[in-house]
Amino acid sequence: MKRKTVLVIGNFDILHPGHIRLLKFAKECGDYLIVAVNNDSNMLIKSRVSELHRLEMVQSLECVDEAFLTELCSNSLIANYQPYAVVKGKEFEEKENPEYKALKTYGGKLIFGSGEFESNSEQYITRTISHGHNFDYKKCQSYATRHQFDYQSINTVFSQFRKNRVAVIGEIIVDEYIQGTAVGLSQEDPTIVMTPDRTDTFLGGAAITAGHIKGLGAKNVKLFSVLGKDDKAEYVKSHIKKYNIETVLLDDSSRPTPLKSRYRAGIKHF
């Protein structure tokens, strides 16, 4: 029986769980998994990791049968190896895929992951974007003209904040953002099933309102609110201090501290 060779091509800039899931999936699509790692000269954006280290990481995976550095395009690799299938991440499904034409010449397949792989390294990297001197302020200027204010009037408003003593009365909410990987749809109803990867927690509601007022320069800000007797209340008490505001927080064991959870899987929010 002819061996079913599967080919995966990528940078593997940062080897993360999404890559591993994708490669394991690719191995299940055939008998022999070949991974072509783009060398440094074949990458549009310079990698943070040298080509030899990127290759070494891929070679260390048990599911990978063969891996090598390449400067060839995908069509040339397909012509050389004529794999049974080429596997790519779900994010490429709606894009132009030149591999189709090369595979069609001998009946090869192009297979996309089901969406749970998060194979894009940018998901795992926080970039700091500097506008530098190229930031276009034209829209800001037109907005100011349309609403009839200028720098001096804004400066006057902010200077008045320094004299204000403000009381904020309201509900404190703990905002929780759960970043995860989608693994499919529930069989019971059309709901995305996801595996949580990271949770980020922030103060919201009246707490962030008070914090913003203090940040604008108010002389004194006092926050009045009610918390439950739970771990979220402890989170509020320990993190509210950084806003440099006064607080009067009443404990109420009959109710929980409000928690708002948002789930993200890739670009999907729910």
Side-chain angles (χ1 to χ4, degrees), residues 79-100:
N80 290 345
Y81 287 89
Q82 294 201 343
Y84 159 74
V86 171
V87 172
K88 301 180 74 173
K90 178 72 173 179
E91 66 270 25
F92 294 99
E93 190 169 14
E94 300 301 324
K95 298 180 181 179
E96 183 178 354
N97 292 282
E99 296 87 357
Y100 270 125

Side-chain angles (χ1 to χ4, degrees), residues 37 52 54-62 64 66-68:
V37 180
L52 292 177
R54 291 188 286 114
L55 175 62
E56 182 181 357
M57 288 189 292
V58 172
Q59 288 175 328
S60 69
L61 299 176
E62 185 177 356
V64 176
E66 180 183 342
F68 56 87

Side-chain angles (χ1 to χ4, degrees), residues 10-15 35-43 46-61 67-70:
N11 298 330
F12 302 96
D13 189 6
I14 294 178
L15 190 64
V35 181
V37 180
N38 291 319
N39 64 10
D40 290 344
S41 64
N42 202 28
M43 295 179 66
K46 183 175 174 59
S47 175
R48 301 160 180 79
V49 184
S50 72
E51 58 184 27
L52 292 177
H53 287 160
R54 291 188 286 114
L55 175 62
E56 182 181 357
M57 288 189 292
V58 172
Q59 288 175 328
S60 69
L61 299 176
F68 56 87
L69 291 171
T70 183

Side-chain angles (χ1 to χ4, degrees), residues 172-174 226-234 236 252 255-260:
I172 294 176
I173 299 173
V174 176
V226 179
L227 300 174
K229 288 188 176 181
D230 49 31
D231 58 339
K232 297 305 178 185
E234 295 305 316
V236 172
D252 183 356
R255 45 155 283 177
T257 303
L259 172 67
K260 183 188 294 182

Side-chain angles (χ1 to χ4, degrees), residues 14-267:
I14 294 178
L15 190 64
H16 54 70
H19 284 138
I20 297 171
R21 295 187 190 104
L22 179 63
L23 293 174
K24 285 182 176 178
F25 170 78
K27 180 60 180 288
E28 292 172 356
C29 293
D31 305 315
Y32 192 81
L33 175 59
I34 299 175
V35 181
V37 180
N38 291 319
N39 64 10
D40 290 344
S41 64
N42 202 28
M43 295 179 66
L44 296 176
I45 301 176
K46 183 175 174 59
S47 175
R48 301 160 180 79
V49 184
S50 72
E51 58 184 27
L52 292 177
H53 287 160
R54 291 188 286 114
L55 175 62
E56 182 181 357
M57 288 189 292
V58 172
Q59 288 175 328
S60 69
L61 299 176
E62 185 177 356
C63 62
V64 176
D65 296 299
E66 180 183 342
F68 56 87
L69 291 171
T70 183
E71 60 181 10
L72 299 176
C73 68
S74 58
N75 284 355
S76 296
L77 288 167
I78 291 169
N80 290 345
Y81 287 89
Q82 294 201 343
Y84 159 74
V86 171
V87 172
K88 301 180 74 173
K90 178 72 173 179
E91 66 270 25
F92 294 99
E93 190 169 14
E94 300 301 324
K95 298 180 181 179
E96 183 178 354
N97 292 282
E99 296 87 357
Y100 270 125
K101 186 175 181 180
L103 289 165
K104 189 177 180 180
T105 60
Y106 64 90
K109 296 183 177 181
L110 182 58
I111 302 174
F112 298 99
S114 61
E116 71 269 34
F117 305 114
E118 291 286 346
S119 59
N120 186 354
S121 295
E122 297 303 313
Q123 299 286 340
Y124 293 81
I125 302 169
T126 300
R127 292 183 178 273
T128 301
I129 301 175
S130 174
H131 294 295
H133 298 291
N134 297 320
F135 185 73
D136 186 0
Y137 290 93
K138 291 180 180 178
K139 289 187 177 180
C140 296
Q141 293 171 347
S142 63
Y143 181 87
T145 301
R146 188 164 66 252
H147 292 275
Q148 299 180 346
F149 64 84
D150 54 23
Y151 173 79
Q152 186 57 47
S153 63
I154 292 177
N155 195 41
T156 300
V157 170
F158 278 109
S159 64
Q160 292 173 350
F161 263 86
R162 302 186 186 99
K163 305 174 184 177
N164 292 335
R165 298 169 62 87
V166 181
V168 177
I169 304 172
E171 186 175 62
I172 294 176
I173 299 173
V174 176
D175 288 322
E176 189 176 66
Y177 294 86
I178 303 169
Q179 181 69 48
T181 302
V183 295
L185 289 175
S186 169
Q187 294 182 355
E188 289 76 18
D189 53 62
T191 302
I192 295 176
V193 178
M194 62 174 283
T195 301
D197 297 322
R198 188 185 75 244
T199 300
D200 297 315
T201 308
F202 306 93
L203 289 181
I208 196 62
T209 299
H212 285 163
I213 293 172
K214 182 63 179 178
L216 288 170
K219 182 179 180 180
N220 178 268
V221 179
K222 199 164 187 175
L223 171 63
F224 298 83
S225 191
V226 179
L227 300 174
K229 288 188 176 181
D230 49 31
D231 58 339
K232 297 305 178 185
E234 295 305 316
Y235 174 86
V236 172
K237 292 174 183 178
S238 63
H239 286 75
I240 197 70
K241 298 174 183 177
K242 68 179 180 180
Y243 293 120
N244 196 26
I245 61 178
E246 296 181 32
T247 59
V248 177
L249 304 176
L250 305 178
D251 295 327
D252 183 356
S253 59
S254 68
R255 45 155 283 177
T257 303
L259 172 67
K260 183 188 294 182
S261 298
R262 297 178 179 87
Y263 294 84
R264 294 173 175 170
I267 60 173

